Amino acid sequence: MTKPIVINIDQVTKIFRMGDNVLRALDNVTLQVEEGDFVAIVGPSGSGKSTLMNMIGLLDVPDTGSISIAGHSVCGLSDDELCGLRADSIGFVFQQFNLLSRTSAVENVGLPMLYSGVPYDLKWAHKILAAVGLTTHAAHTPSQLSGGQQQRVAIARALVNKPHVLLADEPTGNLDSQSEREILDILVQLNRGGITVVIVTHEQEVTQIANRVIKMRDGKITSDERQTPQYLDGMKSLDQSNNASLQLYDNGIPAKDTGSKALLRKVKSYTSEALRSLTSNKIRSFLSVLGIMIGVAAVIAVLGLGEGARKTMEKELSGLGSNLLAVYPGGSGRGMGGGGGSNPIRLFPEDIAALKAELEHVTEIAPRVNSKAMVQFEEKTWNTSITGTTSDYAKLRASMPDIGRNFTKGEDDARARVAILGRTVVKNLFGDKDPIGSEFKLNRLYFQVIGLLPAKGSNGWQDQDDVIIIPLATAMHRVFGFENIHMVDVQVDTSEHMSDVEGQIKSILQQRKKIPDAKMEDAFTVRNMADIQAAISSTNKIMSLLLSIIASISLLVGGIGVMNIMLVSVTERTREIGLRKALGAKKSDILSQFLVEALLLAILGGALGVAVGWGISAVAAAVTNWPFEVSPTVVALVTGVTALVGIIFGFWPAKKAAALQPIQALKYE
Ligand code: ADP
């Protein structure tokens, strides 16, 4: 009965061109291998043995001729289809073992399962490893194994998907003679168990164990003979009574799983593989993510502090009173405090009285004057801002004394010499003493301290606690000799009436001061505090935009760093990529593996950046006394963006890796 043909090579030619040299590595080779054959291919170096093996192993394609493996014609198959056929039908054993160096023996054995689609079952890998005589070394990495043991691992790996054909290219070339015998024993037993074996060797002796010997020279088969196998000294198979065979597949191999389960398994494996690769090059990985880290840290710190500053400012502005209008002489460009300009009006107490009488929807009106003065208590002097205002001011500006009391309308009318002090003034004038009731000197007049303003802190440009408040009439007539009011605060009952009251103020003042329409702009300003809030929030928006631009640039630079290191990694691991492809990895598998690695790098950089940025914000906040706030949204956004950077910048290196041809990659030194 004729046995089925597993390998059919029909008139295959492979030509290599090196400049003008044309080399026929395979010259019209025809060969059929039956199921269960043990074929040894021999011949001098350069005769085309490895090239023929690569053809059988679907690692290389012929220039002419056709190949079919286990009944599948290879002709016209896509790269991925070739990978699938390779993963299912062919097991490779190389002279160099080609094990993944950082991976344990059993995981090396399990590697092809990842690509063939069977569940990644390490128990099965253990079983195969035990079958080739390695039970106690499963957890060892290749560097902890002898050459013979490494080759056993490589054979186990070749068997894990139950191939039809086992291809071994000089499998014992790197081994001492005892290990050689052990490996050959395994091959013989596997063959007895039903696997077709094709072995390339240059050792005449080894050919004796085959039942068929093919000799090659100059790319041609020069002889092809069948023989009775003879076992070598030291081989267990020599003992004819020991007819041991390796029946690995009695229980069948695990069924393939597909869809989301297979994907999940791959992602898991790529992640652990990527983590291994990143941790084995810790410093390099760290340096490569430095760019991303710095960018993200800067964004987190600035946004965190910016958000804190914004909140503080909002709080302060709301402390000023939200329905507040400030009226002062001069155009809006002159700033608060007014004066100057081409035609500023002068506000007098009668104007304030008129406003009080005529305005509707207004709860409080507080006129004031501002100046600077030197104050003195005992030996200490201090230069500070003086605000002269009415007793209503405290309600409008959240300035009700929290220690002592506010002055009364009677005291204002009587031009009393009473004062309410900000905390900075207290500190500089009185130190730790209780100032209430004390008298201090202001412009040669003695004032009595009756209250202390609540501490307000800095509003970013001035210390709001460095101020003394005295009655308006006292300030105008006793201290400074002002005739006119510098500014009026008007509190409106509800926010809907703001613009209405603004209009009323304008028309009352225009009438009283007889201002022509054209001069209104320069005459006085009514500032809506809500406008200031809007201005601040628009400044905030511009800041955020600028920050985003800076962040994008730093992430771009960081991304290039990641890409650079990934390119280095692809070059370094060319052989590994070749091996994975030989074991059945598709383009998409390699692409995903490197993408996952780039993604992990970027996320690592992002995570470090968040931590560092957080730390910087916390320290800066502690030093400046500003609150900071890192919102979860910002962290989520930053993580998302860095992940995207990883994918975008990892794509090119990953694509480069995926495009490598297995045979060239395997030969890469
Ligand atoms: P063997 O395995 O019998 O030593 P090979 O099959 O490796 O021989 O090589 C056969 C011939 O083809 C050799 O002369 C070798 O130099 C040449 N060859 C193999 N691969 C390449 C290649 N990628 N480019 C150019 N020449 C090659």
Side-chain angles (χ1 to χ4, degrees):
M1 198 181 84
T2 54
K3 291 181 178 165
I5 306 288
V6 244
I7 302 169
N8 191 359
I9 305 280
D10 191 20
Q11 299 186 343
V12 162
T13 296
K14 180 74 187 177
I15 295 171
F16 291 113
R17 287 176 223 280
M18 310 271 280
D20 289 341
N21 276 355
V22 175
L23 197 123
R24 297 177 92 80
L26 287 182
D27 190 358
N28 208 17
V29 170
T30 295
L31 167 71
Q32 291 184 330
V33 177
E34 290 168 5
E35 191 179 87
D37 265 353
F38 193 127
V39 181
I41 303 177
V42 283
S45 177
S47 57
K49 305 181 297 286
S50 299
T51 308
L52 180 59
M53 283 290 253
N54 294 339
M55 293 292 158
I56 300 172
L58 313 180
L59 289 176
D60 210 350
V61 282
D63 293 319
T64 59
S66 66
I67 300 174
S68 59
I69 300 293
H72 299 278
S73 171
V74 169
C75 186
L77 290 190
S78 71
D79 256 12
D80 280 358
E81 286 167 327
L82 278 179
C83 283
L85 191 56
R86 197 152 59 217
D88 287 344
S89 311
I90 295 160
F92 276 102
V93 179
F94 306 90
Q95 182 178 357
Q96 315 287 357
F97 323 136
N98 283 337
L99 301 175
L100 295 184
S101 59
R102 294 184 295 267
T103 312
S104 71
V106 69
E107 284 172 298
N108 263 297
V109 172
L111 195 59
M113 300 164 98
L114 193 63
Y115 302 123
S116 69
V118 300
Y120 189 68
D121 179 1
L122 281 187
K123 266 194 236 136
W124 174 250
H126 272 290
K127 201 173 148 191
I128 306 268
L129 208 49
V132 297
L134 270 186
T135 34
T136 52
H137 295 75
H140 292 205
T141 57
S143 60
Q144 298 166 325
L145 298 172
S146 71
Q149 288 168 331
Q150 289 188 55
Q151 196 58 301
R152 283 168 195 249
V153 175
I155 293 176
R157 180 181 61 192
L159 296 173
V160 82
N161 280 339
K162 192 185 180 184
H164 291 95
V165 184
L166 187 69
L167 301 179
D169 194 350
E170 304 269 12
T172 56
N174 278 356
L175 301 179
D176 61 90
S177 64
Q178 199 204 327
S179 305
E180 176 186 54
R181 299 296 195 259
E182 286 166 10
I183 295 298
L184 294 179
D185 261 329
I186 292 173
L187 294 181
V188 168
Q189 287 168 31
L190 282 170
N191 182 243
R192 284 181 188 162
I195 295 177
T196 309
V197 177
V198 180
I199 175 172
V200 163
T201 179
H202 64 275
E203 288 173 77
Q204 200 58 41
E205 200 186 33
V206 173
T207 61
Q208 294 174 29
I209 64 169
N211 71 344
R212 186 175 170 192
V213 179
I214 292 173
K215 290 189 178 147
M216 290 191 73
R217 179 173 285 275
D218 299 334
K220 289 193 170 80
I221 293 180
T222 52
S223 85
D224 180 353
E225 285 167 4
R226 290 190 174 273
Q227 63 178 22
T228 309
Q230 292 192 357
Y231 303 113
L232 310 180
D233 289 343
M235 281 180 71
K236 272 188 265 159
S237 321
L238 188 63
D239 178 3
Q240 291 296 331
S241 61
N242 173 8
N243 209 9
S245 65
L246 280 176
Q247 297 285 353
L248 286 173
Y249 307 123
D250 288 349
N251 306 326
I253 57 168
K256 291 190 183 195
D257 57 9
T258 49
S260 57
K261 227 169 145 190
L263 186 74
L264 197 73
R265 189 163 42 76
K266 281 187 177 174
V267 169
K268 229 171 100 184
S269 143
Y270 297 154
T271 311
S272 65
E273 191 64 37
L275 279 176
R276 219 182 333 235
S277 143
L278 296 186
T279 47
S280 71
N281 279 313
K282 286 191 196 72
I283 294 186
R284 192 171 86 178
S285 307
F286 175 72
L287 290 178
S288 67
V289 302
L290 210 56
I292 290 193
M293 191 191 93
I294 293 172
V296 169
V299 172
I300 293 283
V302 179
L303 281 187
L305 288 174
E307 184 66 10
R310 194 178 64 82
K311 289 237 160 114
T312 313
M313 248 178 233
E314 271 179 4
K315 208 174 101 204
E316 259 159 23
L317 286 175
S318 71
L320 294 181
S322 44
N323 297 338
L324 214 57
L325 295 171
V327 186
Y328 54 91
S332 58
R334 316 256 164 224
M336 302 226 196
S342 51
N343 261 318
I345 57 163
R346 284 157 67 82
L347 285 170
F348 297 104
E350 307 86 84
D351 300 316
I352 309 304
L355 285 174
K356 270 189 181 162
E358 293 173 42
L359 283 178
E360 286 169 23
H361 307 301
V362 163
T363 47
E364 310 284 355
I365 293 186
R368 64 172 144 134
V369 292
N370 298 310
S371 191
K372 284 250 169 196
M374 196 68 128
V375 290
Q376 190 186 354
F377 176 73
E378 293 175 350
E379 303 302 297
K380 292 188 183 136
T381 56
W382 183 247
N383 195 18
T384 185
S385 305
I386 312 291
T387 293
T389 185
T390 60
S391 54
D392 294 334
Y393 177 82
K395 283 180 255 168
L396 262 75
R397 291 279 183 171
S399 297
M400 196 57 86
D402 58 351
I403 298 177
R405 64 175 180 88
N406 195 5
F407 54 84
T408 61
K409 188 165 181 314
E411 281 169 326
D412 186 15
D413 292 342
R415 302 181 187 181
R417 285 175 285 117
V418 289
I420 301 165
L421 271 51
R423 293 293 156 93
T424 303
V425 180
V426 173
K427 201 171 79 201
N428 287 287
L429 229 45
F430 296 92
D432 294 333
K433 277 192 212 126
D434 177 9
I436 302 285
S438 302
E439 294 212 320
F440 67 95
K441 231 161 118 182
L442 192 169
N443 275 9
R444 290 190 303 276
L445 290 173
Y446 279 97
F447 276 75
Q448 191 187 21
V449 182
I450 57 165
L452 305 187
L453 288 170
K456 290 184 173 179
S458 162
N459 63 4
W461 54 87
Q462 77 187 83
D463 179 1
Q464 300 187 92
D465 297 326
D466 192 4
V467 68
I468 295 178
I469 294 178
I470 58 176
L472 179 70
T474 316
M476 289 179 74
H477 307 300
R478 293 187 85 148
V479 183
F480 299 113
F482 292 141
E483 284 174 13
N484 56 317
I485 307 286
H486 293 162
M487 189 159 167
V488 189
D489 286 331
V490 178
Q491 188 167 50
V492 182
D493 56 2
T494 60
S495 54
E496 292 89 65
H497 292 135
M498 292 288 275
S499 54
D500 180 19
V501 173
E502 198 177 326
Q504 289 179 50
I505 294 172
K506 281 184 179 164
S507 74
I508 293 170
L509 289 181
Q510 188 176 21
Q511 263 182 6
R512 286 183 64 84
K513 303 288 173 187
K514 308 197 172 44
I515 310 165
D517 284 347
K519 299 258 168 92
M520 276 293 277
E521 280 274 295
D522 281 344
F524 62 91
T525 304
V526 182
R527 180 160 284 183
N528 187 335
M529 287 306 182
D531 290 349
I532 297 180
Q533 279 173 1
I536 286 176
S537 86
S538 95
T539 315
N540 262 333
K541 273 190 195 129
I542 294 174
M543 281 287 287
S544 310
L545 185 74
L546 282 177
L547 276 177
S548 326
I549 293 173
I550 294 172
S552 325
I553 293 174
S554 54
L555 284 177
L556 184 80
V557 174
I560 293 171
V562 168
M563 178 155 76
N564 189 17
I565 226 65
M566 289 306 298
L567 283 173
V568 172
S569 176
V570 169
T571 312
E572 267 181 8
R573 287 153 69 188
T574 302
R575 272 178 76 93
E576 177 197 320
I577 295 164
L579 171 76
R580 285 176 186 273
K581 288 202 146 183
L583 298 180
K586 297 189 174 70
K587 265 188 180 170
S588 56
D589 292 322
I590 303 290
L591 187 83
S592 323
Q593 186 192 333
F594 280 84
L595 269 186
V596 166
E597 204 167 313
L599 188 73
L600 271 185
L601 264 181
I603 289 181
L604 177 76
L608 285 176
V610 168
V612 171
W614 199 300
I616 291 175
S617 313
V619 170
V623 171
T624 59
N625 233 348
W626 275 20
F628 80 100
E629 197 174 302
V630 179
S631 76
T633 329
V634 169
V635 173
L637 202 76
V638 165
T639 315
V641 170
T642 46
L644 203 67
V645 165
I647 291 180
I648 291 172
F649 286 91
F651 192 76
W652 184 45
K655 200 162 172 250
K656 219 177 136 195
L660 286 173
Q661 288 303 319
I663 187 66
Q664 262 101 40
L666 268 175
K667 282 186 180 169
Y668 184 84
E669 293 299 335

